[in-house]
Amino acid sequence: MAKTLYDKLWDDHLVAENSDGSALIYIDRQLLHEVTSPQAFEGLKIAGRQPRRLEANLATPDHNVPTTNKEREQGIDGIEDPISLIQVKTLDENCDEFGVTQFNIDDIRQGIVHVVGPEQGYTLPGLTMVCGDSHTATHGAFGAMAFGVGTSEVEHVLATQCLRQKKMKNMLVKVDGKLGYGVTAKDVVLAVIGEIGTAGGNGHAIEFAGTAIESLSMEGRMTICNMAIEAGARVGLVAVDDKTIEYVKGRPFAPQGEHWDLAVKAWNDLHSDADAHFDTVVELKAEDIAPQVTWGTSPEMVKPVTGTIPNPAHEDNPVKKEGIERALEYMDLKADSAISSIPVDKVFIGSCTNSRIEDMREAAEVAKGRKVAASVKLAMVVPGSGLVKEQAEAEGLDKIFVDAGFEWREPGCSMCLAMNADRLESGEHCASTSNRNFEGRQGQGGRTHLVSPAMAAAAAVYGHFTDVRDIEISRLSSTENGGDA
Amino acid sequence: MDAFTQHKGLVVPLDRANVDTDAIIPKQFLKSIKRSGFGPNLFDEWRYMDHGEPGVDNSKRPLNPDFVLNFPRYEGASVLLARENFGCGSSREHAPWALEDYGFKAVIAPSYADIFFNNCFKNGILPIVLDNQTMDVLFAEAESQEGYQLSIDLDSQTITRPNGETISFDVEPDRKHCLYNGLDDIGITLQQEASITEYETARKQRAPWLFN
């Protein structure tokens, strides 16, 4: 029978099936960070259990770590918030006690789990992978079944290397055509979420396919899969192709020699069969997608930069109508006004969605030779890992940002969720390359607008949202993160 | 985990769609390394007028009188009514921990985000799915009738309204069994140890690059 990529991954990891449709699924690898693991390690200790396979776990602190150079220079002792310090220390202690490999705060390989996994080749095609973080869908860009779990399941995987799961439905999101100049992977995924809604993918694994997805780099595909959860899907997937294999090759944890050849042979089958059945199919034309900006408090509240803010009077569904009214009030925006008229107080370029080297380049191409607008209080660039930071600095991107008036920070999750000191003040509007624009997400009362790195850099320079297609972009190097940009 | 068999409790209507886990428990409280104590900060940004931080005495903070959980008539509520896609956003299990710590035993909504839904069952909370039409009836009743209580029976999968009418709901057998008996998931999985080892041996042959 013809199978989807998700069907193949599911079948390949099936340990046991129960009569009620639930199943025991094998989990190949797990990523751990300081926020959702302490209670899991504590659970193991209380029950007197040990991790089943140590090498199947890799840890790094990311959510809570400070990103200022001043705090980071002093390593773990530089963490000024005493409660954050305890949490990061607890990860150190747990990894030491149980023998889990960790890239600690001083390690150049430290960074956001979803940047570190692929960068190290720890993320591989064909894996099942979990992490106590909903953006684990990111790793699906490699044709891996990767999804976020709660802390109880983190503990479950540590103890058993398995999870009790029910198979999800299959959804295909097909984007065919050629992305326009200045239109990036971020714009594609925001447009998809705008189309199907934040609950559109609930209960589904989404496979992203079509010529526009195929043309994206691996980093672009990671951006897309990362936000599958913002469409409600725990799992996002892209089929394996030559780009996938080329990206993985030679990375520290990637297979080598004889194992490499065996692996590549297996990975070449990681695509949906031609006549595989999908429960839901959504199609978008790449040419119809413009740079996107979210205006509200849910990622589905998104419009092209050329558009206007919706008017609740035109919405028939009472729950949706109330949602729009509430969002407009929270965001302090007027119905029917232009998206480009929204002023920006702060700019955040980073997060597991957009903090990889291509994202840094994309933003730097806009920032180069320009200055952050005087009305912008803070524009910050937070690379996703120590290695991304090192690479960016080798390319001189840090200098471009600093010359333009951006702050160049140390790696971490930072203002995506504002667990550390990087946050919005009440009422501030932020152009952010992160993934969630919920109320209070970036700081209580803060107003988040999700955009691509290029659009965030443009907003920093002009002080309001600006169509990146209308401005001249400095070529730094060849980037493949979007159409021609 | 506490077992859930039957529960009768006061119902509070939270009439909002897409309530996300950042709203249920804001990020600053995720710095805790414990599983308990999140209840006072449930819906923190909606519940209080000021900014909450861990370690602050919540009993001295100004309450938002317009937030439904603060209405005196809903004090002691243990059943939460919500709208579509409740619990969307992050995977933080702190969200059900906060609901449980506050005293909620059940949530009733037309739909949930997948990870949150799953996390509820790990923490003795029953998330019930009902259609929008039935939800509208429950919302109207909870808003108009002071002291409105619902009786939930997991075994028969029914909710009994104050007028005696019952509503049935679905729950997956495996989840029901664990919740009803308050079972430790890990313990159950470890009963399949032989199957796991057998799978691992086969996996090692098929994908030797994943094993050191």
Side-chain angles (χ1 to χ4, degrees), chain A residues 17 34 63 76 117 123 139 202 207 212 225 228 251 254 256 275 298 306 312 330 336 355 369 453-454 459 471:
Chain A
E17 257 178 311
E34 77 279 21
H63 284 62
I76 195 163
T123 304
H139 310 270
N202 280 3
E207 180 175 344
C225 289
R251 293 188 182 263
Q256 292 174 349
D275 47 351
S298 163
T306 49
Y330 180 85
D336 299 323
S355 65
I471 65 176

Side-chain angles (χ1 to χ4, degrees), chain A residues 113-121 123 135-143 185-186 189 208 213 216-229 236-238 243-244 247-248 251 351-359 435 481:
Chain A
V113 280
H114 309 309
V115 175
V116 170
E119 186 173 79
Q120 291 295 319
T123 304
H135 292 110
T136 308
T138 308
H139 310 270
F142 292 81
K186 182 65 164 285
V189 73
F208 297 94
I213 304 293
L216 291 173
S217 69
M218 286 312 294
E219 295 193 1
R221 295 176 190 181
M222 283 186 244
T223 299
I224 302 250
C225 289
N226 172 276
M227 288 189 73
I229 187 68
L237 288 166
V238 175
K243 277 186 203 172
T244 322
Y247 183 95
V248 171
R251 293 188 182 263
S351 87
C352 58
T353 315
N354 283 125
S355 65
R356 299 178 182 85
I357 190 65
E358 291 174 11
D359 301 313
N435 40 57
N481 207 15

Side-chain angles (χ1 to χ4, degrees), chain A residues 277-295:
Chain A
H277 171 74
F278 287 88
D279 301 280
T280 313
V281 178
V282 177
E283 295 188 55
L284 276 82
K285 278 203 193 93
E287 290 81 3
D288 293 345
I289 301 172
Q292 306 281 307
V293 181
T294 65
W295 56 267

